[in-house]
Amino acid sequence: MPKKVLFYARYSTDRQNEVSIETQTELGKKFVADRGWTLCGVYSDSAISGTSFTSRPGIQQLLAHVKREQIDVVLCVNVDRLSRDVEHTSKILKDLNFHDCAIWTVEAGRAVTDMELHMRSTMSHELVEQGRTRTREGMKTAVRKGKATTCLSYGYKLSQQRDANGDRLKGLREIDPVKAEIVRGIFKDYVDGVSPAAIAQNLNDLGIPGARTKYWRDTTIRGSVTDGTGILNNSLYVGKVVWNKQKFRKDPTTERRTSRANDRDEWEFRDEPKLRIISDELWERAKQRQAESREEYDRHSTNRLNATHRPEYLLSRMLQCAECGGPYAISGKDRYSCTNRKKRLPIDELDGECCTNSKTITRHELEERVLNCLPVAFYSVDIFDRISKKMIAHEVAKLKSAPSRKAQVEAELAKIKAAQTSLMQQIQDRHAEGRPRLALLDDQLDELEAKREELARELATVEEPAVDFQGKIEKLKAQFNPANIEIGIRKLIFLARNNADEAVKQRLMPIVRDLIQTVVIGKTPGHQPASLQVHGDIAHIMASMDAIDVMQQQFFAAAQNDLMTRMASGEIDTEAKKNKLIEAYIDELSRKLPEWENLQVSVVAGAGFEPAAFRL
């Protein structure tokens, strides 16, 4: 009997193209045909790294296919196409072994043994890490030679200097006179009181192309003072290169690239006077206005949740417009709408047109629809174990990381000393360059010294109480065991759905954000409710389920919710009434099962690096 085969193809970056997938697929089809096997399906992932797993819809769909149908062989050109991560390779191998499915490669022309697969994935993983290290060291060397390591900052262009052979010296940059004048104008307008939003609007009205895209945004100008991003925070404009302020890591849960600040002693500094665009005086005035703006905001901000950047509502900062990809946010009384459409911002992906997604949705309707789908995730047998472990780890981390007063004081002292060192360096630099001393810098230095002396006195008197960490950890494990977690979550969902209890929704937030990554809101005809498409782990659970399982789980969740509502209202007040209602549920389920047998789960692949999704 011929073997039943699934073929998998993948290419890594957008520098490649679909031809790579076609070539791999042709090789796979020929391999299958030469052996007289049966090709049951072809799955692929385009422009996605082999170090990802959950964000590859193709591999997820392949594994789901293996689960629902007996497959003998999963075939790929080589094992690197399957995965370049040790942990993910082990996961794939375990799933396929459980279903008696072998891994073959066109390259080897045979089945791949477990040992070979593990060795190959380990080598691939190591090559990826070595590549990252070499790239970083190469960038560090380039910085020390005065060369650009990434894309050029706005206001500069590649230098056309050439060596003795006439070849252009790569990585060198010089000031772009036209763009430099725009940078000076931005700084001058800002210190004169014009807001970043108004500056961006003026630049767009003049038809001046943006720094990275066709249009200017206020965030491009404002940026982040802490991270040193944005036009107003780029120290290169005063001739100072600062590199390696942050590093990037892929979050193993979301598989998204996240940034982390590096310690100051890891930063690379270099003076480049020839790249100066604005004066120190203009730079200092801009910094002073930024400080005044932050103080003004702190005095008048009444929403402390915004000040700390914590999500206010259950789905805050998780909502996305299906048309333009922009965020959905509260625009009226508890009603979400597309931010880009409201601001009438031109979108590059729409050829400079504004978003036309006028569909709005109330917060309560949106949250209700999302919460209604949440119980389906409980089909995954290990969901409560996973949440239990995460909650324990989170609480233990908080317990261990909760700083003592002594640690807080020491940290504050370290920050003050670093700030003093920076100010002293600026004063010394100005003196060496023959420029006048700024009173503003002296005043800041005096303030820091007074604060340092106050903290030093407090540090000398701080006493640390003994803490029984192990005992607290054991209590946490007993409190957050999987059984308690399941009872607690089901109760929270019931209260959040039926009573719209905001406090309960806040407690549900970590669980929702663990299962759901993004909710995409799209247009529908007329007055129909907005379409919702959910991305995240819950979509992968759905993708691995048969349609009848999904419908059953939704039915069970609805029945349980109905039962708890009737019991809470007093309608069901005896065991006999409860049993009668349960029998009615069973009868209804038996009538619906035949209707569900021919259904298919509506699971779609997300765009780009988004994982699988499903529609509500």
Side-chain angles (χ1 to χ4, degrees):
M1 185 175 179
K3 293 181 181 295
K4 299 173 70 175
V5 183
L6 295 180
F7 183 77
Y8 177 75
R10 178 186 62 80
Y11 68 84
S12 302
T13 71
D14 53 12
R15 294 173 185 167
Q16 297 169 292
N17 54 53
E18 295 294 340
V19 175
S20 176
I21 294 290
E22 293 175 3
T23 302
Q24 292 177 52
T25 304
E26 288 176 3
L27 289 171
K29 288 180 177 179
K30 183 177 185 303
F31 188 91
V32 172
D34 289 346
R35 284 156 181 77
W37 294 350
T38 302
L39 185 62
C40 299
V42 175
Y43 296 94
S44 64
D45 287 306
S46 303
I48 303 181
S49 169
T51 60
S52 302
F53 180 63
T54 59
S55 55
R56 283 195 283 157
I59 196 67
Q60 299 296 331
Q61 292 163 5
L62 181 143
L63 294 174
H65 192 149
V66 171
K67 179 181 177 182
R68 67 174 178 265
E69 180 183 353
Q70 179 56 50
I71 298 296
D72 301 305
V73 172
V74 166
L75 177 66
C76 50
V77 172
N78 56 56
V79 293
D80 289 349
R81 299 305 88 202
L82 207 59
S83 177
R84 293 174 66 88
D85 182 275
V86 175
E87 180 184 357
H88 300 159
T89 301
S90 297
K91 167 65 176 170
I92 294 170
L93 183 61
K94 283 182 179 179
D95 286 348
L96 296 182
N97 283 345
F98 178 75
H99 293 285
D100 296 323
C101 182
I103 299 174
W104 281 59
T105 65
V106 174
E107 189 179 76
R110 54 176 173 77
V112 180
T113 65
D114 291 3
M115 180 178 291
E116 181 183 356
L117 187 64
H118 283 300
M119 290 179 66
R120 290 289 295 273
S121 66
T122 301
M123 290 174 63
S124 294
H125 186 92
E126 183 62 25
L127 286 172
V128 169
E129 292 301 319
Q130 288 180 6
R132 288 173 180 161
T133 301
R134 285 196 297 269
T135 299
R136 196 129 191 104
E137 289 304 313
M139 292 171 70
K140 183 185 295 184
T141 301
V143 168
R144 291 173 176 171
K145 291 181 178 180
K147 296 183 177 182
T149 58
T150 55
C151 54
L152 295 178
S153 296
Y154 188 80
Y156 301 94
K157 62 182 179 180
L158 289 174
S159 173
Q160 298 303 312
Q161 296 181 49
R162 298 184 180 275
D163 59 18
N165 297 323
D167 296 326
R168 187 174 67 82
L169 297 172
K170 296 181 179 180
L172 297 181
R173 55 198 158 179
E174 60 188 30
I175 294 174
D176 183 321
V178 176
K179 292 181 178 179
E181 194 58 39
I182 295 170
V183 171
R184 294 188 191 100
I186 290 172
F187 272 86
K188 289 175 182 176
D189 287 346
Y190 182 72
V191 299
D192 287 341
V194 184
S195 71
I199 294 172
Q201 186 61 53
N202 291 339
L203 293 170
N204 287 332
D205 291 343
L206 292 171
I208 297 173
R212 291 283 178 267
T213 58
K214 186 177 180 181
Y215 301 97
W216 286 90
R217 305 290 177 89
D218 57 338
T219 51
T220 306
I221 296 168
R222 181 188 300 110
S224 167
V225 176
T226 305
D227 297 337
T229 58
I231 298 288
L232 295 174
N233 303 301
N234 191 344
S235 61
L236 188 58
Y237 295 142
V238 287
K240 295 185 182 297
V241 176
V242 183
W243 180 77
N244 203 35
K245 292 181 68 174
Q246 58 186 1
K247 57 189 173 186
F248 294 89
R249 291 287 185 273
K250 182 182 286 188
D251 187 321
T253 302
T254 63
E255 294 192 346
R256 289 195 167 189
R257 195 166 174 257
T258 59
S259 62
R260 297 179 188 173
N262 286 329
D263 293 335
R264 189 178 178 84
D265 57 6
E266 297 181 53
W267 296 5
E268 291 284 334
F269 298 92
R270 182 181 174 85
D271 288 331
E272 291 286 350
K274 64 180 181 296
L275 297 179
R276 175 188 288 274
I277 289 178
I278 64 171
S279 66
D280 285 336
E281 181 186 2
L282 186 58
W283 175 265
E284 291 300 335
R285 288 173 63 193
K287 295 293 106 179
Q288 186 173 359
R289 191 192 165 198
Q290 284 179 323
E292 292 170 354
S293 298
R294 287 197 300 274
E295 291 174 3
E296 187 73 12
Y297 174 79
D298 290 340
R299 281 199 298 271
H300 293 90
S301 176
T302 57
N303 188 340
R304 306 316 299 171
L305 288 171
N306 284 344
T308 54
H309 300 286
R310 288 181 296 172
E312 183 179 358
Y313 299 124
L314 184 68
L315 300 171
S316 294
R317 301 201 303 273
M318 299 174 65
L319 308 176
Q320 182 178 310
C321 174
E323 181 173 339
C324 69
Y328 254 67
I330 295 288
S331 59
K333 183 174 174 58
D334 270 359
R335 182 171 286 275
Y336 284 104
S337 66
C338 176
T339 301
N340 284 342
R341 183 182 181 278
K342 182 182 177 182
K343 292 182 177 180
R344 306 302 298 169
L345 291 174
I347 308 300
D348 292 334
E349 290 76 9
L350 302 179
D351 296 325
E353 298 295 325
C354 294
C355 179
T356 62
N357 186 359
S358 60
K359 188 64 69 174
T360 64
I361 184 170
T362 65
R363 178 169 66 87
H364 291 296
E365 178 191 347
L366 175 67
E367 291 175 353
E368 186 75 10
R369 287 170 66 180
V370 172
L371 286 172
N372 283 341
C373 80
L374 206 60
V376 178
F378 302 160
Y379 171 82
S380 177
V381 292
D382 66 341
I383 190 71
F384 297 110
D385 291 302
R386 190 179 74 178
I387 294 177
S388 172
K389 290 176 182 176
K390 286 193 174 184
M391 292 185 72
I392 291 171
H394 176 70
E395 294 297 326
V396 169
K398 282 202 310 183
L399 187 64
K400 290 184 175 180
S401 64
S404 63
R405 183 52 191 162
K406 181 179 179 181
Q408 288 177 327
V409 173
E410 288 175 341
E412 290 178 35
L413 277 171
K415 288 182 181 179
I416 287 176
K417 289 177 181 177
Q420 287 177 318
T421 302
S422 176
L423 285 172
M424 288 296 296
Q425 185 63 49
Q426 291 183 54
I427 293 172
Q428 291 172 9
D429 289 346
R430 293 181 65 83
H431 177 72
E433 295 169 7
R435 290 180 289 161
R437 191 160 180 167
L438 288 178
L440 175 65
L441 297 179
D442 291 334
D443 292 342
Q444 290 178 350
L445 204 56
D446 291 341
E447 291 175 7
L448 287 171
E449 179 58 23
K451 182 64 175 175
R452 189 198 66 77
E453 291 176 354
E454 178 186 341
L455 289 172
R457 287 193 296 270
E458 181 181 353
L459 184 62
T461 60
V462 170
E463 294 183 3
E464 295 295 335
V467 180
D468 180 15
F469 283 111
Q470 192 57 42
K472 290 187 176 183
I473 291 173
E474 292 303 322
K475 288 182 180 179
L476 286 173
K477 289 181 179 179
Q479 178 184 355
F480 295 113
N481 67 70
N484 288 346
I485 292 295
E486 178 173 3
I487 294 171
I489 290 177
R490 291 189 185 278
K491 183 177 179 181
L492 285 175
I493 291 178
F494 167 73
L495 292 173
R497 289 168 61 187
N498 288 63
N499 302 326
D501 191 318
E502 295 302 325
V504 170
K505 288 182 180 179
Q506 287 289 326
R507 293 173 63 189
L508 266 178
M509 197 175 291
I511 293 136
V512 171
R513 290 169 186 272
D514 180 62
L515 292 169
I516 296 173
Q517 181 178 321
T518 309
V519 179
V520 180
I521 303 173
K523 292 190 293 187
T524 51
H527 297 289
Q528 296 180 25
S531 67
L532 302 183
Q533 191 181 96
V534 177
H535 298 251
D537 283 352
I538 190 172
H540 298 303
I541 294 171
M542 292 278 286
S544 66
M545 296 169 63
D546 291 329
I548 193 168
D549 292 327
V550 175
M551 302 305 293
Q552 281 181 330
Q553 288 298 314
Q554 289 180 332
F555 179 87
F556 293 150
Q560 184 180 46
N561 188 65
D562 181 55
L563 176 61
M564 293 177 70
T565 303
R566 296 191 185 198
M567 291 176 67
S569 67
E571 179 184 345
I572 304 297
D573 54 3
T574 65
E575 193 66 24
K577 289 182 179 179
K578 179 180 176 181
N579 291 335
K580 185 176 180 180
L581 182 59
I582 291 174
E583 289 176 2
Y585 293 146
I586 295 172
D587 290 340
E588 184 179 358
L589 178 62
S590 64
R591 291 194 301 272
K592 288 183 176 293
L593 283 174
E595 302 174 13
W596 296 339
E597 287 181 350
N598 296 321
L599 292 178
Q600 292 183 343
V601 182
S602 178
V603 178
V604 298
F609 286 90
E610 294 293 338
F614 70 94
R615 299 184 179 94
L616 296 181

